[in-house]
Amino acid sequence: MLPTVRDVLALEAVRRGDPRVVAGRDRLDAPVRWVHVGEVSDIAHLLGGGELVLTTGVALPSEPDKLADYIADLAGVGTSGLIVELGRRFVRELPRAVIKAAEEHGLPLITLSRETPFVQITEQVHARIIDIQLQELRASEQLHRVFTELSVEGASPAQVLAQVARFSGRPVILENLAHQVLACDTAGRDTGAVLANWEARSRTVSLNERTAHDPASGWLVRMVGARGQDWGRLILLCDGEPSPRDIVLAERAATTLALGRLLERHQESLERQAHGTIITSIITHAYSDPDEAAARARAVGVPLTGRKLMGIVLCPTEPVDAALVGQAQLGELAEATAAACREAKLPALVGALDQGRVGVLLPLPPRVGAEAALHDVSERLRAGFPTRFVLAAGSVVDDVRDVRRSFLEAEQVADVAVRRPDNRPFYRLPDLRLRGLLHLLRDDARLQTFAERELGPLLAHDAQRGGDLTRILRVYLDAGRNKAVAAQRAHLSRPAFYDRLHRLERILDIDLDDVESCLSLHVALLALESFRRENR
């Protein structure tokens, strides 16, 4: 931070001149960008703002109105303050017109009653300014080095935010487009207080620029994303106006987070990497010919040709959020799964997938049923692996071309089962219907955007006014749009409930008698529940 007028007055070279503040005492914290010595009265047009002007006043006019204009001109260009050495032009005190004008314009005005070498003041102040600029340059270089290392090392969001908090000394939060917290570092403050009623507070801060400061909340907000696809916001909780360093810090951190999401890869054994590459390539149809996939699998000791095939996904249940699953834990689960398959004499491809999961492509031997194989692998794995997990299986398919469908089913099953595990040995595809589909798509920015578009005005209204209209809408739709039943469930009289519905229609600008509008709102509410459940 630049020195202030108050800091300059504390310098030895100034104190020797016996400084006295005669006007603008409440503006002494104004920053000083430079010190300028000037004796002419028309100096204002030569200044750029933020200068502390030193003068003996020898060339200033004697007319009170012209002296007042001199002060007004200095204040008009943003001068930080004016120091006048007495004894040459003004002997014991400044004219009343000068002091009055300085008070009116809020310009700090200081007198020096003793002769003071201005060169000593400029040297000391400029040395301090240059030292501060050098410190800022070194800090910028340190930021560059630290965040470059984080990018190269593939640091987690928690590690990136820890560095932001360390450099800024302020809480920092990473949230998705649905205003759900993905990671945070409170910089030593109470986590409950920092994150209290977070979604409602965040919804009230809507900014149009990629990096912007909201004066009302004090938040510095930076969008996070890459390749034209934003997926979150980085928020630095500032007590006041953020410094240029804070802005640079937020932007570097956001870039690191976006790059990390693009480059994130799991660290595994070479065998697990090879298996994972084959599984991923089959799922994404990277192989032009299914025979290529069979050949590659056969090369690592897993025959696919002529076998029934089943996709399996395993997810640790602690922690639930895949972004928090440790790479070591995931690697251990993959190795333990591969060992369980070997013990069961079931050769299989086992490797880590995206989103903190382990994938298994299991070719069923002749006369071995899917249920028996799943029971065998599950029991062996649970006996040797201490961390809780869910094992989800897709449909049995006859050809490599259909393996993708089996894995998609398994992933969908795992997404739901990991939230409510009941210690079953494995899970198969239930009838998930719409809730399952929305849960599967919960991290898709397009779904989050849809929910915000449908419900944003209503959620913002409730957040700003402490209302419950979102709950009323949910009750109404859950009651099948039966107003009488909905009013009873909401514990409201019918007139009061109908009044809330009319307010809903005005806020959302819709007709609740329109079936398609209600359908869109119902889908958006289910999506919102999925977002919130993901972050509990």
Side-chain angles (χ1 to χ4, degrees):
M1 298 295 292
L2 291 172
T4 64
V5 176
R6 192 186 307 277
D7 295 330
V8 174
L9 296 182
L11 295 176
E12 178 63 26
V14 179
R15 288 193 291 111
R16 284 198 297 265
D18 191 19
R20 186 167 70 93
V21 180
V22 296
R25 185 176 296 276
D26 59 337
R27 301 294 183 92
L28 293 181
D29 291 324
V32 176
R33 185 177 60 83
W34 206 246
V35 176
H36 193 87
V37 179
E39 298 294 348
V40 295
S41 60
D42 60 342
I43 193 177
H45 72 283
L46 301 175
L47 305 178
E51 295 91 348
L52 179 63
V53 177
L54 309 181
T55 183
T56 62
V58 293
L60 295 183
S62 58
E63 298 86 347
D65 57 338
K66 291 184 178 180
L67 287 173
D69 291 340
Y70 169 72
I71 296 297
D73 290 342
L74 290 179
V77 297
T79 302
S80 298
L82 174 65
I83 295 181
V84 182
E85 181 191 90
L86 302 177
R88 296 177 185 272
R89 176 69 172 80
F90 309 110
V91 181
R92 292 185 176 84
E93 62 182 12
L94 295 175
R96 182 61 190 165
V98 175
I99 299 175
K100 181 180 178 182
E103 285 288 3
E104 290 177 351
H105 292 283
L107 179 70
L109 179 61
I110 299 98
T111 62
L112 300 177
S113 59
R114 298 175 183 170
E115 184 178 28
T116 305
F118 284 172
V119 65
Q120 295 181 5
I121 298 177
T122 58
E123 284 179 348
Q124 291 187 18
V125 176
H126 292 170
R128 182 166 182 177
I129 292 173
I130 293 172
D131 183 63
I132 290 173
Q133 292 174 340
L134 181 60
Q135 291 178 14
E136 290 292 335
L137 178 60
R138 289 171 176 169
S140 178
E141 292 175 347
Q142 185 182 19
L143 288 180
H144 175 76
R145 176 179 56 79
V146 168
F147 284 98
T148 298
E149 290 175 357
L150 291 173
S151 298
V152 172
E153 294 170 0
S156 67
Q159 292 173 313
V160 175
L161 265 58
Q163 292 298 326
V164 176
R166 181 173 72 87
F167 280 113
S168 68
R170 297 186 174 101
V172 58
I173 290 89
L174 175 65
E175 66 171 17
N176 63 17
L177 297 182
H179 305 280
Q180 306 299 304
V181 175
L182 301 176
C184 76
D185 192 305
T186 62
R189 301 189 190 179
D190 179 67
T191 303
V194 171
L195 298 181
N197 200 25
W198 177 261
E199 181 181 347
R201 289 162 56 202
S202 178
R203 288 184 183 280
T204 64
V205 180
S206 179
L207 304 171
N208 297 323
E209 299 177 1
R210 293 193 62 77
T211 304
H213 175 247
D214 178 56
S217 62
W219 291 7
L220 174 63
V221 181
R222 167 68 185 184
M223 296 301 299
V224 182
R227 297 177 179 174
Q229 294 292 326
D230 291 330
W231 51 266
R233 300 199 304 177
L234 181 71
I235 300 171
L236 193 63
L237 305 189
C238 302
D239 297 323
E241 186 76 15
S243 67
R245 183 184 179 190
D246 290 332
I247 295 174
V248 173
L249 177 61
E251 291 177 342
R252 288 305 307 266
T255 301
T256 302
L257 289 166
L259 184 61
R261 180 151 171 162
L262 289 174
L263 302 180
E264 184 175 309
R265 293 292 183 271
H266 298 307
Q267 298 299 316
E268 312 164 82
S269 69
L270 292 177
E271 182 181 6
R272 298 284 72 74
Q273 288 184 31
H275 283 209
T277 299
I278 296 173
I279 294 173
T280 301
S281 298
I282 292 174
I283 294 174
T284 59
H285 298 304
Y287 298 133
S288 58
D289 188 339
D291 291 339
E292 180 182 357
R296 290 179 179 272
R298 188 166 53 250
V300 295
V302 182
L304 302 181
T305 304
R307 301 284 184 95
K308 299 283 188 181
L309 305 173
M310 179 168 55
I312 301 172
V313 170
L314 296 96
C315 297
T317 59
E318 298 175 358
V320 171
D321 189 348
L324 301 178
V325 175
Q327 300 304 308
Q329 180 190 21
L330 196 64
E332 290 171 1
L333 178 57
E335 295 293 351
T337 303
C341 290
R342 286 194 296 269
E343 292 173 4
K345 295 182 170 52
L346 295 171
L349 294 173
V350 181
L353 305 177
D354 292 334
Q355 306 301 321
R357 301 166 178 170
V358 172
V360 180
L361 177 52
L362 180 61
L364 296 171
R367 296 182 296 279
V368 175
E371 298 285 324
L374 289 171
H375 271 290
D376 196 0
V377 172
S378 178
E379 290 175 1
R380 295 176 186 274
L381 182 55
R382 293 181 191 280
F385 191 72
T387 305
R388 295 179 60 193
F389 64 92
V390 297
L391 189 155
S395 301
V396 176
V397 297
D398 297 321
D399 193 89
V400 173
R401 296 180 180 86
D402 299 320
V403 165
R404 172 183 171 83
R405 173 169 57 85
S406 182
F407 269 106
L408 290 177
E409 290 179 1
E411 289 177 350
Q412 189 171 2
V413 172
D415 278 340
V416 176
V418 77
R419 264 69 190 176
R420 297 181 180 178
D422 55 11
N423 296 321
R424 283 189 287 178
F426 57 87
Y427 298 81
R428 305 298 296 272
L429 182 64
D431 184 13
L432 301 178
R433 308 182 72 180
L434 181 58
R435 289 181 184 271
L437 175 62
L438 293 176
H439 185 80
L440 181 66
L441 298 174
R442 67 193 181 281
D443 291 327
D444 193 313
R446 291 169 295 183
L447 180 61
Q448 296 173 4
T449 302
F450 167 79
E452 288 296 307
R453 185 171 62 247
E454 292 292 321
L455 298 173
L458 183 61
L459 294 168
H461 176 276
D462 283 353
Q464 293 169 358
R465 304 189 182 185
D468 67 341
L469 293 181
T470 305
R471 181 185 69 85
I472 294 298
L473 177 61
R474 183 179 293 107
V475 171
Y476 172 69
L477 295 176
D478 287 345
R481 299 170 58 230
N482 186 316
K483 296 180 181 178
V485 173
Q488 185 177 9
R489 292 180 180 177
H491 304 292
L492 294 172
S493 65
R494 291 188 185 182
F497 189 79
Y498 297 164
D499 178 69
R500 281 171 167 78
L501 292 182
H502 289 316
R503 275 191 280 163
L504 273 167
E505 291 178 321
R506 288 196 301 270
I507 293 170
L508 294 176
D509 192 23
I510 61 165
D511 181 3
L512 288 177
D513 290 329
D514 181 67
V515 175
E516 185 171 348
S517 294
C518 289
L519 176 61
S520 293
L521 290 173
H522 202 180
V523 171
L525 282 171
L526 292 176
L528 183 65
E529 291 175 0
S530 181
F531 303 154
R532 289 173 171 172
R533 183 168 59 246
E534 173 72 7
N535 286 274
R536 285 175 185 169

